[in-house]
Amino acid sequence: MAFSAPAAYLTHQQKVLWFYKRALSHLESWDKYRYYAWLMRARFEEHKNEKDMTKAIQLLREAEEDFWYRQHPQPYIFSDSPGGTSYERYECYKVSENCLDTWHPSQKAMYPDYFAKREKGKKLRGETLPPARKEGDLPPLWWHIVIRPQERQCRETERPHLSCLQVKYITEHTLALIKKISE
Amino acid sequence: MHSSLILMTLIPLLAPITITLINPHKNSLYPHYVKLAIIYALTISILSTTIFIFTGQESMISNWHWMTIQTIKLSMSFKLDFFSMMFTPVALFVTWSIVEFSMWYMSSDPNINQFLKYLLIFLITMLILITANNLFQLFIGWEGMGIMSFLLISWWHGRTDANTAALQAILYNRIGDIGFILAMAWFFLYSNSWDFQQMFILDSTSNSFPLMSLLLAATGKSAQFGLHPWLPSAMEGPTPVSALLHSSTMVVAGVFLIIRFHPLIENNLLTQTLILSLGAITTLFTAICAITQNDLKKIVAFSTSSQLGLMMVTIGINQPHLAFLHICTHAFFKAMLFLSAGSIIHSLNNEQDIRKMGGLFKTLPFTASSLVIGSLALMGTPFLTGFYSKDLIIETANTSYTNAWALTTTLVATSLTAMYSIRIISHTMTGHPRFSTLISINENNPQLMNPINRLALGSIFAGFLISSCIPPTSQPQVTMPHYLKLMALSVTILGLFLAMELSLMTNNMKLSTPVKTFYFSNMLGFYSITTHRINPHSSLATSQNFTSTLLDLFWFEKTMPKLTMQTQISISTTASTQKGLIKLYFLSFFIPPTLALILTI
């Protein structure tokens, strides 16, 4: 099922419905409930079948002005909403997700599935380092990756051009092999 | 003997703080250490207070000489008189209850140890203030309380409003500190001492300047009208902070300072009148603000401010001991009101708006009972704690030679007290529940119930106990007309019935636009909105005029470039002979040779 993108403007129906919802929830700020919600609905129902758009827009405008005039100076805001009493209260206790990297392996072993998935996600995002070239060596650290020689894009018919590091690696490997054979 | 006992009170309080310095690692038993330390300190202080009451012997301990600057000697000295000996156990008792309550309220907080440490440091600074025998030591306690207030209001420092409220508290208190420092400077110059005994002996003329400065200090610290907005904003902090600092202990420091200086104030009628007027304005204004607030903690905060105004009124009618009695009794029921509010708020998942409470009589019976007891004590119901101080204050005001305006204001504020107390009870306890149905409410926790229980007992009996221990300072009023005797009770009952009648009326009334007085009350008199904007607006407007008028208009147009240009044009037009009349120039070029030719022919 295809969902259409929201239009750049609101229809009159949307405006009226949004306004109705706002007005209804604002009744709670005045400590009024069921009966006054029914009265509010009756006011909206009175002009429900208005066909003249000019008049309908005029009615909406007057209603919005009336709402503005009668609004409560301290409207009720939910405690976790912006402007509420406990909004952002626990921000100071939130820690970045990277703190999980500092866990000891014995702690990580308690949640193997979670950490395995986490490592997989990190690899996909490219956050992990490539493995070391030789055993016992350090993996290539960040400056090796940053200052690595740029690989030129080549056509399929052309022979791939070796980078300096690659040449160096091949040379060292060949020399080690020759030495082994000679021994 | 009681003097050494009261000094021993401070030692158990220092132990938990020393523990954190030696062993900074988190300790799950630390809250219990703090509670135990306060219990030990309370036990020792009750002993010493009992000895003091029976012997009636005031003392002053001066044990460490710090320095001597020219002729002034600074030393650590403790004044153990009636005020410090009576208030120390009260402060310790209230703090014990609040620390135990914090162990329930802040149980989910990972830094609860730090929180309790801050409360303990605050308590120590409070005790330093009330036992100080010189202005310098008092100032150390004064500033220490301000710092701890800042740290505790901004406990949840991830919240912008909390940081703003903490800064607001610091700034308003700092304005009051200016008065304190002025007073210190004046006493340094004219009394050559900061010790109370010497200041009181030497100042026989009762100069108004230092007393006005002290009044400014008290206005800042005790949230009197003019410097009051920080107190409702300080409700951003956790409820235990509001209960300890902003109801029972810190906010009464300003009133305590004025009480300490009553030997000077009782000879100065101007200061007394100013204190009376300021107190009367404060008590009425804050009571008007409280009756239309919707935040439970803000209503109790404004109630605190109103009672502080009443304390100032009491000092204004030259009854410092009555004001002190009201400080002690007020600490009990106000702390209990805050703890009850905290119980409700925590049970309803941090819901503080009374429009979303209701029907809590059945769900929180113990909290409801304590809230009702606290409200009745606040209203001055006969033979509860508040009655012994509040009723006496109003009787004394009625029978004293004071201006009728201040008296009327105080009486109106007393009836408004009943109105907002009834409003709290009707909105939170009665009616249908307006909170979410998914909340599970349970108050069956000893760490919640025991503190409120203790404070409830204090709210019922403490007034009788303390008032029977006050030594008679002046001849009490022996007879008075019936209507004056029953004035306090009658205005309270009037306020009660008015509140109930109005609430019944509003349930049946049509929803219409409220009157302008509602907006005045709900927006706190528009005080914060105007004063917090006036200063930045005036400085921004001045700087705008400065840049546009002074810099742009004056320097760029009137003086340098444009003036130079105008001068150049006028000079060049004046001094230049060239008028641009080419035909005339050509003609004039031809005229002399023609003339010469004609003349030679």
Side-chain angles (χ1 to χ4, degrees), chain A residues 175-183:
Chain A
L175 285 171
L177 199 63
I178 292 167
K179 198 176 174 185
K180 201 174 172 184
I181 293 167
S182 63
E183 280 172 16

Side-chain angles (χ1 to χ4, degrees), chain B residues 214-228:
Chain B
L214 289 170
L215 180 59
L216 177 61
T219 307
K221 191 63 101 181
S222 292
Q224 298 299 298
F225 181 75
L227 300 177
H228 66 277

